[in-house]
Amino acid sequence: MRATWIVYRKEMVEILRDRRTLIAIALAAVATPIVLTVISQVSTKTATQTYTIGYTGDVPTGLGELLTATNLKLMPVADPAAAAKKQVDIGIAFEPGEVDVYYDPSRQSAQIAQNRLETVLGQYSAAQAAAALQNRGVDPGILTPIHLVSHPLSSPVQAASNAFLSFFLPYILITMIITGGFSAALDSTAGERERKTLESLLLTPAPRSRVLLGKIAAVTTISLVAAVAAIVSMFVALARISLPGGSGHITLSVVAVPLMVWVAVLIAFSFSAVTLALGTLAKTFRQGQAYVTPLYFITIFPASIILFIPDFNPGIAYYLIPILNAVLVLRDAIVHNSVDWTTLSVTTVSLLATGALSWYAALRLFTREALLTRS
Amino acid sequence: MIQAAVAVERLEKTLGKNKVLRGISFRAQPGEIFGLLGPNGAGKTTTLRLISTLLSPDSGTVEVLGFDTREAPEEVRRRIGVVTADIGVYPRLSARENITYFAQLSEVRDSELKRRVDAVIERLDIHSFADQRAESLSSGQKQKLAIARAIVHDPSVLMFDEPTSNLDVLASREVREFMVESKDRGKCVIFSTHVLHDAERLCDRITILHEGQVVASGPTAEVRGGKPELEDAFLDLVGAS
């Protein structure tokens, strides 16, 4: 394995002297906290923002104060339906015994205002009904014959934290692993052909399989460094910002951390091999980019879709699909705070097989005569 | 019979639809500069790639110091040093790091590594730019670096493929002097070129390839025949007078 170590060391030196790779890692480390801070601020602003209600008619006694307390500001208008299109967030016509609400569902502010209004009106109606019953000497408790008592099986704050992490963490991890090693993989394959060092490398007695292993190890390392940089910066940012709604800070469970490391190593290895194989097909760095860029979208697209499906409960066959399986395993570990060994085993085998097959393909490509004669 | 450094027998090779070599044979001996001449497309580079195990013969055999290129390619690669036509160097490594990398891959022992690298740097007068990144070197300096990495493991057979084609007069002369020096050290030097003037001055024996076949082979003076210059004989042989 001496040749593998020699190639690994040389590739690492070259990668660390390559501005493209260093900039990609630095951007990853900086971009993640910025994105999270912006998301946090937007969420906080949405929760505390005051929305305007345009109204006609007489405001029922006490309702105005209740609306103001929930950041809903009343403003008299001539036509609430017309005003709700642009002038105000929501329109109301107070009629005796009836409230007509006008809102545009395509406006996010109208939806939020409408939800708040429904809650306030519900509370106001219940309070009015209770007061009327009490005046007549009737227990207001008859309005709620069944009492709903909730017993959450886990901390709602932790659940919110897990939901947030299960969405962001797999996405950032996979994106950074794939994009972090992208430049290094192409530089060590297509780059060798482009700068005409490949022939000299193949003229050495070092077995080509060992040379390739050294390259895969270097690309895997740099992919992991990029992922670690992004995730560490993500957690540093998360320690400084609150969950949407201000219900606490986000933490990752003890179970998820080692699992995340294991999955990261698997993805980094398998995708280093895949990108090296594609890079070996290319004659130039630019051509390599054309081959590898679609790979990112092909792999990240199904994974992203899954993240948007709430409570998606896949069968074991889904865990055979590389990247998608990594997302699912990570999501399961974060949300349920436990490891399903069957799905983890299938995921491990799938990603190792992807890496091994890609390494074999890269080796076949690396040893074919056309590699030299076509360049 | 003395074992040839390189023995090529009835070598044939087709690349794509093009039959590049059509049964060529020659032998190069230790302590000589052997010229492989021919116009562009004659098959010189393909021949060198077959000798250096980068390509595999369709038929025929190549032996380097008794090792068959098909049966023992790694043994062959341990014994050869090739200066390719395209001088590719690792731009983000220094000249010294480039040489060290190839020395390590060529199985130079760790205990000998520094001495060997320093010796090559000394021999090729690379001191002034040894610790400079290769991306900042001139063509002549890169060519010296290419030679240094090809000889750092002290191979018995040296092959040069058009080594002076992109060099200025001074750098070309240094390469030529190096080939003569290597020959004097008992190395077998195979010099592939279409610059006949260089070949005439340097080569002890030559083989002229044309359209994948050997059209002349022997001591340089013998191939030149009665012609005033090798170029005249060459043009006669390739039918382009």
Side-chain angles (χ1 to χ4, degrees), chain A residues 173-174 177-178 216 219-221 223-224 227 258-274 319 322-323 325-327 329-330 343-356 358:
Chain A
L173 186 75
I174 289 161
I177 287 175
I178 294 175
I216 289 174
V219 177
T220 301
T221 303
S223 299
L224 287 173
L259 188 87
M260 183 179 73
V261 172
W262 175 238
V263 168
V265 171
L266 289 174
I267 301 173
F269 162 69
S270 62
F271 269 76
S272 299
V274 172
Y319 290 85
I323 297 297
N325 52 14
V327 170
V329 161
L330 272 176
T343 55
L344 180 61
S345 304
V346 173
T347 300
T348 302
V349 170
S350 160
L351 288 171
L352 284 177
T354 304
S358 301

Side-chain angles (χ1 to χ4, degrees), chain A residues 244-264:
Chain A
S247 49
H249 289 290
I250 293 170
T251 52
L252 188 61
S253 71
V254 179
V255 173
V257 174
L259 188 87
M260 183 179 73
V261 172
W262 175 238
V263 168

